Amino acid sequence: MIVETGLFALILALFIAAVQAVVPLIGAARGDSAWMNVDRPAALVLFALITMSFGALMWAHVTSDFSVLNVVQNSNTDKPLLYKITGVWGSHEGSMMLWTFILTFYGMAVAAFGGNLPPGLRARVLSVQAMIAFGFILFILLTSNPFARVYPAPLNGDGLNPLLQDPGLAFHPPFLYLGYVGFSMAFSFAIAALIEGRVDAAWARWVRPWTLVAWCALTLGVAMGSWWSYYTLGWGGYWAWDPVENASLMPWLAGTALLHSAIVAEKRDTLKAWTIFLAIITFSLSLLGTFLVRSGVLTSVHSFAVDPQRGVFILLLLLLFTGASLFLFALRAPALKGGGLFAPISREGGLLFNNILLSTAAATVLLGTLYPLFVDALGLGKISVGPPYFNMVLVPLMVPMILVMAIGPFLSWRRGDFMGALARLKIAFVVTAVTIVATLLIAGASARSVWASLGFGLAAWLFCASLIEWTGRIGLFRRSLADVFQRARHLPRSAYGMTIAHMGLAIVLAGITGSLAWKTEKLQVMYPGDSVAVAGYQIKFTGVDNHVKGPNYTASRATFIASRDGQFVAKMQPERRVYTNPPQDKSTVAIHTNFVTDLYAVFGEPDGKGGFVTHFFLNPLVPWIFFGAVVMVFGGMVSLSDRRHRVGAPLRKTRATPVASAPAMPAPATVVVANGERKGLLRGWVYLVPLLGFIVLVGFFIHRLQLTSEGDTPNLIPSVMIGKPAPTFNLPPLLADRPGLKTADLKGKVTLVDFFASWCVPCRAEHPVLPLVTQAGIRLVGINYKDKPADAKAWLAELGDPYQAVAVDAHGRTGINFGVYGVPESYLVDRNGVIRFKQTGPLTPEIIRSKLIPMAEKLEQ
């Protein structure tokens, strides 16, 4: 009955959202306070209903109600309570419920704490929020019902992906969604302002705290996702430029630009149209991320679903909200007056420069994420965009931005003194130079050390400049201690927040620099009693306990003793777990940190001779990356606590224009109006450019979704080889005691050809599910793609070798002939050697069960 109550509450919430979307908006247009006042109670009731519905779904998971399909697919009785709760948002349906819950939470917050908002603005804001809620509730009910029943109910469920059975899942998605969905508030304020035709300093001050909340949450969510990848996937890294990682980074970049643009709009009453545009784009990028994760347009380790029907619905929501808002922006933005003028060398100029670089970075990430699909759709070939592209294009954008970040706070509003600002940064110049020289002297002269010294110099420049700016505000070293204390006590918290956040970014930059420059890695086979040296540490392998029992898994636990200069440092115990439901393997790493470096241990497969593959990393300054992110969030929270963010700015009083003593001549006046109309028309066309670009992007996505509905691959990369014989090849073996692979080997039995590489993070996520292929009676062969043989051998030794044959495609020629887009990629070949199916991206248990096995059985018959 609780489940039905949850479904009923969700249906009722749909109607409440409709009322909240329509009635207050009409009331604001008519100036009817009674209709406008419907907004607050409607928002509170809507939140209560969604909370009830979300709670009912959580109850079904906690009590293991296997009459609910969502529980069957994502839980089982052996799963610990924590993962039963977090598993609610581990599925597509549950994650959309979490999305809607947070969306209505923000609406409730505006209703409860927005008493200082003008009634008309508040009514329009809550109406826009309700429109978004209506769309997503309708999406859940029509395509993703989490309360669907199954009959007869099974005795147990399928369980949750072991990678998601991790404490990080309890916090990473909620904070990420608090950021994603939080930007809907800035979006709603922007649309309300466009409808009202009024953007002023008060509006900017009202929108800033909501933007700041979303930015803090998204910063923490992205950092936690990076940390989860670091300690869960066992690859020693923290960012792989995965498409869904990029989908979270893009709104963060745009949101950071929005946060700074809103400052200019509030302080100087300028950049108003640009701030409105950024609010629209930031939330649109959040919606785009939702579309990418759930439509199958791009395949990722983080993808929730590859259902084109769901993708079409989300695309319709994206088209409705983003398309309509850009159309409204094109209509109303030309009428927004620019406000105060400013010189290029000014604080406004620095913030605008910051905005341009951040927006360009977001556009660059978007282009790199979607570019392979564009190229393929235009028939220009198949390419893969990876970390080299992103590193190459983003570094030149971020370096000048960080340089200007240090100088900007020293410039005055409207017109600044550039040389004077540099003069106040003399100490920062000295510290930066000393940092660069010291790094070179300590690390030695090499190309890597040169780049590292520049990175540390840039971090020192920003950190020191931020500290100098704060000391200048409070008059440190120039005033008495009592006066300094008094000034520090009365300094606005937003100023403290800015300083802390900028210093946090400097710490993150130093951490990234150190981790990229001096990472040490060592992989080998070890026997109990063996020792290995890793960057000054001695690591001794003492043995393995093969009888570790977990709540829903068994594990083999290795024990390593790390020492340095004969002194004990740490006892490290990584594990290899075998889960019973679902039947998958998972490695857990052991990390010892001293908050400067991480000693990182991975325990791999046995070699069959009493030894085990072990993989050790020394990751310098990686802890600084996550600590710096926490400092940035703390800075944002300090700024958010500033009382000025809770009080609207006073409206500016406008002076009446004096009447001229002499009447104007009619002819010149007519000419002036005509010229103004022409300029306004031209300006209006400029504002249509974003809408036209968005329409082109939507058209492309519709084309891709059409391919999916016709049975194309999950990544929507069409293969001309489907229905054709496998290309001719003859590849050498990767392992000396195993055969190579040639075209003739693919005949006689249904075979899955899997392209993989040791450098591929999604391949690592795919690897534990490959035994399901062989268990289904399908022959599995592997082709190591553009990889170093030694790395590939070590990779298989660490994770296990499920292949019946493994060949080497060192230069990628065979991959090109197959039509490989990027690894992992798999081809199902029938008994006659004809390619029948292509899977782009990692195989999942769902894909193997629903697509691969039925097709293989049909081909065998």
Side-chain angles (χ1 to χ4, degrees), residues 14 105 117 149 203 271 352 377 496 539 577 600 610 684 735 742 745 794 821 833 849:
L14 181 71
F105 170 79
L117 292 172
R149 293 284 194 178
W203 175 88
L271 297 184
L352 179 59
Y496 278 106
I539 302 177
R577 297 177 179 177
Y600 187 107
L735 306 173
K742 57 184 181 295
D745 297 334
Y821 162 70
R849 287 194 299 263

Side-chain angles (χ1 to χ4, degrees), residues 395 399 432-459 509 513-514 516-518:
V395 170
V399 169
T432 301
V434 170
T435 301
I436 292 174
V437 173
T439 303
L440 289 173
L441 291 176
I442 294 173
S446 66
R448 177 173 294 185
S449 297
V450 169
W451 287 111
S453 66
L454 294 176
F456 282 125
L458 198 61
L509 178 60
T513 301
L516 293 178
W518 297 308

Side-chain angles (χ1 to χ4, degrees), residues 129-457:
Q129 280 289 108
M131 292 177 192
I132 301 171
F134 181 88
F136 277 96
I137 295 171
L138 188 63
F139 168 70
I140 293 172
L141 289 173
L142 295 183
T143 70
S144 311
N145 181 9
F147 301 106
R149 293 284 194 178
V150 57
Y151 182 82
L155 296 177
N156 208 342
D158 298 334
L160 186 68
N161 186 333
L163 289 176
L164 302 181
Q165 296 188 39
D166 185 271
L169 185 66
F171 307 102
H172 165 53
F175 277 106
L176 199 66
Y177 285 10
L178 277 169
Y180 271 162
V181 184
F183 284 121
S184 69
M185 289 309 310
F187 174 83
S188 297
F189 270 96
I191 300 306
L194 288 176
I195 295 173
E196 195 175 64
R198 182 175 173 181
V199 181
D200 52 21
W203 175 88
R205 181 169 291 184
W206 282 316
V207 81
R208 274 185 65 192
W210 300 104
T211 304
L212 194 54
V213 167
W215 181 86
C216 289
L218 187 57
T219 302
L220 189 59
V222 171
M224 293 179 71
S226 179
W227 168 244
W228 174 85
S229 175
Y230 178 64
Y231 76 81
T232 298
L233 296 183
W235 62 300
Y238 48 84
W239 194 266
W241 294 108
D242 178 272
V244 178
E245 289 177 335
N246 297 347
S248 67
L249 180 62
M250 289 184 289
W252 184 87
L253 292 169
T256 306
L258 170 62
L259 195 59
H260 290 80
S261 178
I263 296 174
V264 181
E266 176 190 346
K267 301 291 187 182
R268 295 286 298 135
D269 196 31
T270 189
L271 297 184
K272 292 185 288 189
W274 174 248
T275 304
I276 292 285
F277 177 70
L278 280 177
I280 295 172
I281 290 301
T282 303
F283 181 59
S284 297
L285 288 173
S286 297
L287 291 177
L288 179 64
T290 304
F291 171 73
L292 293 178
V293 174
R294 290 167 171 81
S295 65
V297 168
L298 290 172
T299 301
S300 163
V301 180
H302 312 273
S303 295
F304 278 104
V306 292
D307 187 346
Q309 292 183 346
R310 290 171 175 170
V312 169
F313 202 109
I314 298 176
L315 185 60
L316 288 175
L317 294 178
L318 183 65
L319 178 62
L320 176 63
F321 297 132
T322 303
S325 61
L326 288 176
F327 180 72
L328 182 62
F329 175 76
L331 289 179
R332 294 297 183 92
L336 297 176
K337 303 302 180 183
L341 300 177
F342 58 89
I345 304 299
S346 63
R347 188 170 296 189
E348 298 99 315
L351 290 169
L352 179 59
F353 184 74
N354 157 296
N355 266 234
I356 292 172
L357 291 180
L358 284 169
S359 302
T360 304
T364 299
V365 175
L366 177 63
L367 177 64
T369 304
L370 299 180
Y371 186 70
L373 302 181
F374 289 138
V375 170
D376 183 71
L378 296 174
L380 301 178
K382 297 181 183 294
I383 66 169
S384 177
V385 175
Y389 161 80
F390 293 104
N391 296 335
M392 180 179 65
V393 297
L394 287 180
V395 170
L397 292 173
M398 294 297 102
V399 169
M401 188 196 77
I402 292 173
L403 290 174
V404 174
M405 277 179 65
I407 301 171
F410 291 91
L411 298 175
S412 301
W413 293 105
R414 191 173 182 182
R415 184 179 299 276
D417 181 3
F418 185 69
M419 297 309 297
L422 293 181
R424 296 171 65 185
L425 287 168
K426 288 184 292 187
I427 296 178
F429 279 111
V430 173
V431 171
T432 301
V434 170
T435 301
I436 292 174
V437 173
T439 303
L440 289 173
L441 291 176
I442 294 173
S446 66
R448 177 173 294 185
S449 297
V450 169
W451 287 111
S453 66
L454 294 176
F456 282 125

Side-chain angles (χ1 to χ4, degrees), residues 547-738:
H547 305 287
V548 177
K549 296 288 186 181
N552 59 341
Y553 64 84
T554 58
S556 297
R557 178 183 295 161
T559 300
F560 300 97
I561 302 298
S563 60
R564 190 179 183 95
D565 299 327
Q567 300 295 317
F568 173 83
V569 174
K571 179 180 180 180
M572 307 178 71
Q573 293 184 308
E575 296 178 353
R576 286 193 59 82
R577 297 177 179 177
V578 179
Y579 285 79
T580 55
N581 194 4
Q584 293 183 27
D585 296 345
K586 174 188 173 183
S587 294
T588 63
V589 305
I591 302 175
H592 170 72
T593 183
N594 58 12
F595 300 104
V596 177
T597 59
D598 282 349
L599 188 59
Y600 187 107
V602 182
F603 177 51
E605 290 282 340
D607 68 346
K609 303 175 183 177
F612 297 85
V613 175
T614 59
H615 204 172
F616 299 105
F617 300 85
L618 186 72
N619 294 324
L621 300 186
V622 166
W624 288 23
I625 299 174
F626 308 113
F627 174 70
V630 173
V631 172
M632 291 171 66
V633 174
F634 177 69
M637 298 303 293
V638 170
S639 181
L640 187 65
S641 68
D642 194 319
R643 182 177 179 274
R644 294 180 302 169
H645 287 320
R646 301 190 296 274
V647 180
L651 297 178
R652 295 187 173 188
K653 295 182 179 180
T654 58
R655 297 179 180 177
T657 304
V659 180
S661 57
M665 297 297 292
T670 303
V671 173
V672 171
V673 171
N675 287 338
E677 288 178 351
R678 294 192 193 100
K679 291 179 180 178
L681 183 62
L682 178 62
R683 189 180 180 191
W685 278 107
V686 171
Y687 287 105
L688 279 173
V689 172
L691 177 60
L692 297 176
F694 174 72
I695 291 173
V696 172
L697 183 63
V698 169
F700 169 76
F701 285 141
I702 292 174
H703 169 67
R704 285 301 186 186
L705 289 172
Q706 179 63 30
L707 291 177
T708 304
S709 65
E710 294 174 357
D712 208 334
T713 65
N715 216 26
L716 301 179
I717 303 299
S719 175
V720 297
M721 298 300 294
I722 299 296
K724 296 182 180 180
T728 302
F729 66 93
N730 189 355
L731 296 175
L734 174 67
L735 306 173
D737 58 343
R738 304 279 292 280

Side-chain angles (χ1 to χ4, degrees), residues 16-38:
I16 297 297
V19 172
Q20 182 184 334
V22 175
V23 175
L25 192 63
I26 296 175
R30 293 179 174 179
D32 189 327
S33 59
W35 284 42
M36 285 191 289
N37 289 337
V38 171

